[in-house]
Amino acid sequence: IVKDIKPTVIIGFLPIPSLIILLATFGYKAKKVVSIRNNPSYANYSFFWKLVDLFVRSSIDTVVVQTKALQKELKKKYKHKKIISIANFKCDFKLKKTETKNIIYPPKKPFLLAVGKIHMQKGLDILIKSYFEVLRQGQNIDLYILSNSKNIDFKYLKLLTTLIKNFDITKKIKIIYDVQNLNQWFKKCHLYILCSRYEGYPNSLAEAISSGCEIVSFDCRFGPKEILQNKKYLIKKPSIQKLTDYIISTFKSGYKKRDTTREINQYNDVD
């Protein structure tokens, strides 16, 4: 295909596909751009792909990331390469007519919300443990986890379901897949919780803020600190106790719910 179309620019988007295209076009004269969208420190490469990564790295011209912190981090790895940071733009949530197949409306009563794939990265086990403590302290509120049915780590899902059963809270936690109208869930939730162990750029956090809902986030690498203008929404390290304390604080008398729509950092400049 490369020989037929003779591209002047080759772009790699996902980790393994990027390595494949770089290997396949090694020696071909074209500008090569690779997009890194997650924390590469947690990339689970086999020994073979690690060797490929070392071999093809010299052929990369530009690396594109979504946060300035990751840009700085990768300068150590991709020496003498151009690394630019381009953040995602704010979303307006307007659904197309073809995207209305799985519209599920949020409950009318207050609820806690988490959004993300079923994977250890998202820290949902931490959230479930914290949520159990919230219930033990007398708060009667349900937790909804909205996820993607096409991206499930079933071993991790088994861990989550075991936790839920052991805590005897199967009626309080609901996992729902492939919801299209996320904006309605963000707007209706009592609190949106990002409990990730690591990220590249947590789109759900930006979407939640754009909806104006109350939020709390672990200050994981990378993204939350740059997305948020106000650091009072950040918990420095993943902590069951600190997350529990924050959630409980939102139920105390005198607590005023905040509109977070102005909290997002709109840095669309390219560095």
Side-chain angles (χ1 to χ4, degrees):
I1 294 174
V2 171
K3 289 181 179 179
D4 290 339
I5 65 175
K6 297 180 174 58
T8 56
V9 178
I10 297 172
I11 300 174
F13 194 68
L14 296 173
I16 299 300
S18 292
L19 293 177
I20 292 172
I21 190 64
L22 288 171
L23 185 61
T25 59
F26 193 82
Y28 179 84
K29 292 184 179 180
K31 185 173 183 180
K32 296 174 183 177
V33 180
V34 172
S35 175
I36 297 178
R37 301 178 64 83
N38 210 336
N39 189 330
S41 300
Y42 293 88
N44 191 21
Y45 292 158
S46 66
F47 180 70
F48 171 76
W49 288 115
K50 287 179 181 177
L51 286 178
V52 172
D53 183 30
L54 286 171
F55 178 71
V56 301
R57 196 177 298 171
S58 62
S59 67
I60 298 172
D61 295 289
T62 304
V63 177
V64 179
V65 298
Q66 294 172 285
T67 65
K68 294 175 182 177
L70 183 54
Q71 178 188 29
K72 183 178 179 181
E73 181 82 8
L74 289 182
K75 284 181 179 179
K76 305 170 188 175
K77 180 178 179 179
Y78 296 96
K79 295 180 180 178
H80 312 301
K81 302 294 180 182
K82 186 177 181 181
I83 304 175
I84 63 174
S85 169
I86 306 175
N88 283 4
F89 289 86
K90 184 175 176 180
C91 172
D92 62 5
F93 294 113
K94 291 181 180 178
L95 289 174
K96 298 177 183 178
K97 291 181 179 180
T98 55
E99 297 175 331
T100 58
K101 288 184 178 180
N102 201 23
I103 299 298
I104 301 175
Y105 294 102
K108 293 182 179 179
K109 63 180 182 179
F111 60 93
L112 302 176
L113 179 65
V115 176
K117 63 184 176 182
I118 304 297
H119 189 277
M120 179 273 297
Q121 172 188 347
K122 299 301 180 180
L124 296 172
D125 56 303
I126 301 172
L127 173 59
I128 290 170
K129 291 173 184 177
S130 175
Y131 173 64
F132 177 64
E133 291 300 318
V134 169
L135 294 178
R136 280 182 32 144
Q137 294 187 37
Q139 300 302 329
N140 184 21
I141 189 168
D142 291 347
L143 169 62
Y144 285 81
I145 299 171
L146 307 186
S147 191
N148 182 351
S149 65
K150 296 179 181 178
N151 194 359
I152 300 175
D153 181 332
F154 287 98
K155 186 177 179 180
Y156 186 65
L157 178 61
K158 185 177 180 180
L159 169 66
L160 299 183
T161 53
T162 300
L163 278 175
I164 293 169
K165 288 179 181 178
N166 289 345
F167 288 146
D168 193 22
I169 52 176
T170 54
K171 293 182 179 180
K172 301 297 293 179
I173 296 182
K174 297 170 181 65
I175 301 176
I176 305 176
Y177 296 101
D178 306 325
V179 174
Q180 293 289 342
N181 54 323
L182 284 176
N183 62 313
Q184 294 179 352
W185 286 79
F186 287 131
K187 289 178 180 178
K188 292 291 185 181
C189 73
H190 172 78
L191 178 68
Y192 171 74
I193 303 163
L194 181 82
C195 46
S196 298
R197 290 182 167 91
Y198 62 92
E199 285 285 351
Y201 184 95
N203 291 320
S204 64
L205 181 60
E207 291 166 2
I209 297 168
S210 297
S211 293
C213 70
E214 187 74 15
I215 56 169
V216 63
S217 171
F218 288 153
D219 186 16
C220 62
R221 299 167 70 222
F222 297 92
K225 187 179 288 185
E226 293 187 32
I227 291 173
L228 290 163
Q229 290 182 352
N230 197 325
K231 308 313 177 207
K232 64 186 175 183
Y233 299 106
L234 291 173
I235 296 174
K236 192 168 185 180
K237 295 180 180 179
S239 165
I240 296 170
Q241 187 59 54
K242 288 183 179 179
L243 180 56
T244 301
D245 292 343
Y246 192 102
I247 296 171
I248 292 294
S249 73
T250 65
F251 294 102
K252 291 181 179 179
S253 60
Y255 182 87
K256 292 183 179 180
K257 192 170 182 179
R258 295 164 289 205
D259 183 343
T260 59
T261 51
R262 296 183 181 180
E263 295 296 341
I264 191 167
N265 257 326
Q266 292 296 317
Y267 61 94
N268 294 318
D269 54 311
V270 178
D271 294 334

PDB file of all heavy atoms in Angstrom, residues 148-159:
ATOM      1  N   ASN A 148     -17.686   0.399  28.692  1.00  0.00           N
ATOM      2  CA  ASN A 148     -17.698   0.015  27.283  1.00  0.00           C
ATOM      3  C   ASN A 148     -17.653  -1.510  27.184  1.00  0.00           C
ATOM      4  O   ASN A 148     -16.701  -2.134  27.638  1.00  0.00           O
ATOM      5  CB  ASN A 148     -16.485   0.636  26.583  1.00  0.00           C
ATOM      6  CG  ASN A 148     -16.433   0.327  25.110  1.00  0.00           C
ATOM      7  OD1 ASN A 148     -17.198  -0.482  24.593  1.00  0.00           O
ATOM      8  ND2 ASN A 148     -15.506   0.970  24.401  1.00  0.00           N
ATOM      9  N   SER A 149     -18.655  -2.109  26.568  1.00  0.00           N
ATOM     10  CA  SER A 149     -18.736  -3.569  26.495  1.00  0.00           C
ATOM     11  C   SER A 149     -17.675  -4.181  25.578  1.00  0.00           C
ATOM     12  O   SER A 149     -17.424  -5.386  25.626  1.00  0.00           O
ATOM     13  CB  SER A 149     -20.127  -3.992  26.005  1.00  0.00           C
ATOM     14  OG  SER A 149     -20.351  -3.548  24.672  1.00  0.00           O
ATOM     15  N   LYS A 150     -17.032  -3.358  24.754  1.00  0.00           N
ATOM     16  CA  LYS A 150     -16.037  -3.871  23.813  1.00  0.00           C
ATOM     17  C   LYS A 150     -14.613  -3.798  24.363  1.00  0.00           C
ATOM     18  O   LYS A 150     -13.664  -4.161  23.670  1.00  0.00           O
ATOM     19  CB  LYS A 150     -16.124  -3.107  22.492  1.00  0.00           C
ATOM     20  CG  LYS A 150     -17.448  -3.301  21.774  1.00  0.00           C
ATOM     21  CD  LYS A 150     -17.503  -2.504  20.488  1.00  0.00           C
ATOM     22  CE  LYS A 150     -18.846  -2.686  19.788  1.00  0.00           C
ATOM     23  NZ  LYS A 150     -18.938  -1.883  18.545  1.00  0.00           N
ATOM     24  N   ASN A 151     -14.482  -3.314  25.588  1.00  0.00           N
ATOM     25  CA  ASN A 151     -13.142  -3.165  26.162  1.00  0.00           C
ATOM     26  C   ASN A 151     -13.172  -3.563  27.636  1.00  0.00           C
ATOM     27  O   ASN A 151     -13.076  -2.725  28.523  1.00  0.00           O
ATOM     28  CB  ASN A 151     -12.669  -1.713  25.992  1.00  0.00           C
ATOM     29  CG  ASN A 151     -11.189  -1.570  26.241  1.00  0.00           C
ATOM     30  OD1 ASN A 151     -10.492  -2.529  26.555  1.00  0.00           O
ATOM     31  ND2 ASN A 151     -10.685  -0.345  26.120  1.00  0.00           N
ATOM     32  N   ILE A 152     -13.308  -4.860  27.877  1.00  0.00           N
ATOM     33  CA  ILE A 152     -13.447  -5.369  29.239  1.00  0.00           C
ATOM     34  C   ILE A 152     -12.291  -6.309  29.582  1.00  0.00           C
ATOM     35  O   ILE A 152     -11.994  -7.242  28.830  1.00  0.00           O
ATOM     36  CB  ILE A 152     -14.778  -6.137  29.420  1.00  0.00           C
ATOM     37  CG1 ILE A 152     -15.975  -5.221  29.148  1.00  0.00           C
ATOM     38  CG2 ILE A 152     -14.874  -6.719  30.828  1.00  0.00           C
ATOM     39  CD1 ILE A 152     -17.313  -5.942  29.183  1.00  0.00           C
ATOM     40  N   ASP A 153     -11.647  -6.052  30.707  1.00  0.00           N
ATOM     41  CA  ASP A 153     -10.683  -6.996  31.270  1.00  0.00           C
ATOM     42  C   ASP A 153     -11.494  -7.913  32.191  1.00  0.00           C
ATOM     43  O   ASP A 153     -11.856  -7.529  33.302  1.00  0.00           O
ATOM     44  CB  ASP A 153      -9.613  -6.232  32.052  1.00  0.00           C
ATOM     45  CG  ASP A 153      -8.556  -7.155  32.652  1.00  0.00           C
ATOM     46  OD1 ASP A 153      -8.877  -8.328  32.929  1.00  0.00           O
ATOM     47  OD2 ASP A 153      -7.429  -6.698  32.881  1.00  0.00           O
ATOM     48  N   PHE A 154     -11.790  -9.113  31.722  1.00  0.00           N
ATOM     49  CA  PHE A 154     -12.706  -9.992  32.448  1.00  0.00           C
ATOM     50  C   PHE A 154     -12.133 -10.483  33.784  1.00  0.00           C
ATOM     51  O   PHE A 154     -12.882 -10.757  34.719  1.00  0.00           O
ATOM     52  CB  PHE A 154     -13.127 -11.165  31.565  1.00  0.00           C
ATOM     53  CG  PHE A 154     -14.090 -10.754  30.479  1.00  0.00           C
ATOM     54  CD1 PHE A 154     -13.631 -10.512  29.195  1.00  0.00           C
ATOM     55  CD2 PHE A 154     -15.437 -10.586  30.754  1.00  0.00           C
ATOM     56  CE1 PHE A 154     -14.515 -10.121  28.189  1.00  0.00           C
ATOM     57  CE2 PHE A 154     -16.318 -10.185  29.762  1.00  0.00           C
ATOM     58  CZ  PHE A 154     -15.859  -9.957  28.483  1.00  0.00           C
ATOM     59  N   LYS A 155     -10.824 -10.581  33.871  1.00  0.00           N
ATOM     60  CA  LYS A 155     -10.199 -10.944  35.142  1.00  0.00           C
ATOM     61  C   LYS A 155     -10.442  -9.845  36.176  1.00  0.00           C
ATOM     62  O   LYS A 155     -10.745 -10.118  37.340  1.00  0.00           O
ATOM     63  CB  LYS A 155      -8.697 -11.168  34.933  1.00  0.00           C
ATOM     64  CG  LYS A 155      -7.985 -11.681  36.167  1.00  0.00           C
ATOM     65  CD  LYS A 155      -6.516 -11.962  35.865  1.00  0.00           C
ATOM     66  CE  LYS A 155      -5.783 -12.470  37.111  1.00  0.00           C
ATOM     67  NZ  LYS A 155      -4.341 -12.749  36.817  1.00  0.00           N
ATOM     68  N   TYR A 156     -10.317  -8.605  35.726  1.00  0.00           N
ATOM     69  CA  TYR A 156     -10.560  -7.473  36.624  1.00  0.00           C
ATOM     70  C   TYR A 156     -12.048  -7.352  36.955  1.00  0.00           C
ATOM     71  O   TYR A 156     -12.417  -7.036  38.088  1.00  0.00           O
ATOM     72  CB  TYR A 156     -10.052  -6.188  35.977  1.00  0.00           C
ATOM     73  CG  TYR A 156     -10.121  -4.974  36.869  1.00  0.00           C
ATOM     74  CD1 TYR A 156      -9.358  -4.879  38.027  1.00  0.00           C
ATOM     75  CD2 TYR A 156     -10.948  -3.895  36.554  1.00  0.00           C
ATOM     76  CE1 TYR A 156      -9.417  -3.773  38.848  1.00  0.00           C
ATOM     77  CE2 TYR A 156     -11.004  -2.777  37.374  1.00  0.00           C
ATOM     78  CZ  TYR A 156     -10.233  -2.723  38.516  1.00  0.00           C
ATOM     79  OH  TYR A 156     -10.303  -1.612  39.331  1.00  0.00           O
ATOM     80  N   LEU A 157     -12.909  -7.633  35.976  1.00  0.00           N
ATOM     81  CA  LEU A 157     -14.354  -7.611  36.227  1.00  0.00           C
ATOM     82  C   LEU A 157     -14.727  -8.625  37.299  1.00  0.00           C
ATOM     83  O   LEU A 157     -15.577  -8.340  38.166  1.00  0.00           O
ATOM     84  CB  LEU A 157     -15.108  -7.912  34.925  1.00  0.00           C
ATOM     85  CG  LEU A 157     -16.638  -7.967  35.034  1.00  0.00           C
ATOM     86  CD1 LEU A 157     -17.206  -6.632  35.510  1.00  0.00           C
ATOM     87  CD2 LEU A 157     -17.254  -8.359  33.692  1.00  0.00           C
ATOM     88  N   LYS A 158     -14.097  -9.791  37.258  1.00  0.00           N
ATOM     89  CA  LYS A 158     -14.350 -10.814  38.279  1.00  0.00           C
ATOM     90  C   LYS A 158     -13.950 -10.307  39.664  1.00  0.00           C
ATOM     91  O   LYS A 158     -14.647 -10.546  40.657  1.00  0.00           O
ATOM     92  CB  LYS A 158     -13.583 -12.096  37.942  1.00  0.00           C
ATOM     93  CG  LYS A 158     -13.889 -13.247  38.880  1.00  0.00           C
ATOM     94  CD  LYS A 158     -13.162 -14.521  38.456  1.00  0.00           C
ATOM     95  CE  LYS A 158     -13.477 -15.665  39.407  1.00  0.00           C
ATOM     96  NZ  LYS A 158     -12.766 -16.922  39.008  1.00  0.00           N
ATOM     97  N   LEU A 159     -12.820  -9.577  39.719  1.00  0.00           N
ATOM     98  CA  LEU A 159     -12.384  -8.983  40.990  1.00  0.00           C
ATOM     99  C   LEU A 159     -13.429  -8.000  41.514  1.00  0.00           C
ATOM    100  O   LEU A 159     -13.778  -8.014  42.702  1.00  0.00           O
ATOM    101  CB  LEU A 159     -11.039  -8.272  40.794  1.00  0.00           C
ATOM    102  CG  LEU A 159     -10.569  -7.379  41.953  1.00  0.00           C
ATOM    103  CD1 LEU A 159     -10.275  -8.215  43.194  1.00  0.00           C
ATOM    104  CD2 LEU A 159      -9.337  -6.575  41.559  1.00  0.00           C
TER     105      LEU A 159
END
